Amino acid sequence: MEVAGPGTCGGGGAALDAEGRPAPQARVHFRVTRFIMEAGVKLGMRSIPIATACAIYHKFSCEIDLDAYDPYLVAMSSLYLAGKVEEQHLRTRDIINVSNRYFHPDSEPLELDSRFWELRDSIVQCELFVLRVLRFQVSFQHPHKYLLHYLVSLKNWLNRYSWQRSPVSITAWALLRDSYHGRLCLRFQAQHIAVAVLHLALQAYGVEVPAEAEAEKPWWQIYTMDTEIP
């Protein structure tokens, strides 16, 4: 199920320290992607552009040692670039003001002074640098359309009572969103991520797929066949 190839950060999970906790770099990535998600929501971005911003950030961090760069500047540039890629264009001024409010909740919007223009230029220059590092390969296939398709199919498959009493759909979408805190979006195919979060959501609430025991193949194996959804 794992995708192999250039630009996927290789295999394996997040690095752990001696006590079994995520390594410091993994914790930084978690905090930065949390910033991307929260800033994206405040900027009115849709789910796909936010996911693309996270994927751009993760892919860049695979190619470059972020110790030499400000990860939050890379995150701001990732938001700006993702807006272009997904055709939901953002103004740099809005990104700067939302980011400033995120780090300084009680502050006023920045004045259009030299500090503002320096920050704006930094975002634009960082965007160009990110594009060069990623060789302009900043389009991604996300699991969202697959998860939507699987949820609709499963809803028609399950009885109405089982579906209504368990928030499987809400949980699956939440798990998918949280998966972008890490690099799963680069390591695995979109179909496999979608079916994995759906399988976990079903397990969390003890919902069983009808006739699964009698079926020749598990239900998730049918979904993970290499079929394309337009």
Side-chain angles (χ1 to χ4, degrees):
M1 289 179 66
E2 190 162 356
V3 176
T8 60
C9 294
L16 303 177
D17 62 15
E19 298 179 3
R21 298 174 303 181
Q25 191 175 47
R27 293 198 290 269
V28 169
H29 294 327
F30 183 93
R31 289 194 296 268
V32 175
T33 49
R34 170 57 60 183
F35 160 74
I36 290 175
M37 293 178 188
E38 293 188 14
V41 170
K42 292 177 181 178
L43 288 164
M45 298 180 75
R46 301 184 298 270
S47 297
I48 295 297
I50 292 176
T52 295
C54 292
I56 290 172
Y57 169 81
H58 285 307
K59 191 173 181 181
F60 180 82
S61 69
C62 291
E63 301 285 346
I64 293 291
D65 184 3
L66 279 183
D67 289 342
Y69 303 93
D70 182 348
Y72 289 98
L73 176 60
V74 175
M76 293 165 71
S77 298
S78 298
L79 285 166
Y80 186 50
L81 180 54
K84 295 180 180 180
V85 172
E86 303 297 344
E87 297 185 355
Q88 189 181 3
H89 298 276
L90 303 173
R91 298 190 306 174
T92 51
R93 181 174 183 178
D94 293 335
I95 296 175
I96 290 171
N97 284 328
V98 166
S99 302
N100 185 61
R101 182 61 63 89
Y102 180 89
F103 295 112
H104 310 285
D106 299 325
S107 66
E108 296 293 327
L110 292 178
E111 298 291 337
L112 298 179
D113 53 14
S114 58
R115 180 189 173 202
F116 173 89
W117 292 110
E118 287 174 1
L119 185 52
R120 180 191 179 281
D121 290 343
S122 296
I123 292 174
V124 173
Q125 292 299 320
C126 185
E127 177 204 14
L128 296 175
F129 180 61
V130 169
L131 280 170
R132 290 196 298 271
V133 169
L134 301 185
R135 296 172 289 281
F136 293 86
Q137 297 175 6
V138 289
S139 294
F140 303 90
Q141 186 179 57
H142 295 292
H144 298 67
K145 64 180 180 180
Y146 295 102
L147 180 57
L148 179 60
H149 174 69
Y150 300 161
L151 284 169
V152 171
S153 300
L154 197 61
K155 181 180 178 180
N156 295 330
W157 204 349
L158 295 172
N159 67 69
R160 183 179 302 177
Y161 176 73
S162 296
W163 185 261
Q164 291 180 344
R165 71 184 176 88
S166 303
V168 171
S169 178
I170 296 174
T171 303
W173 285 114
L175 290 169
L176 178 58
R177 182 189 63 242
D178 288 349
S179 73
Y180 280 87
H181 284 103
R183 293 170 173 170
L184 293 179
C185 57
L186 303 181
R187 292 175 49 211
F188 296 96
Q189 295 181 23
Q191 301 97 312
H192 297 163
I193 296 175
V195 81
V197 298
L198 179 53
H199 187 266
L200 182 55
L202 289 170
Q203 285 190 320
Y205 293 102
V207 177
E208 296 184 359
V209 176
E212 183 176 10
E214 295 81 14
E216 294 182 3
K217 295 181 179 180
W219 64 268
W220 52 264
Q221 203 169 74
I222 300 174
Y223 284 153
T224 52
M225 294 174 63
D226 291 329
T227 54
E228 185 65 29
I229 298 175

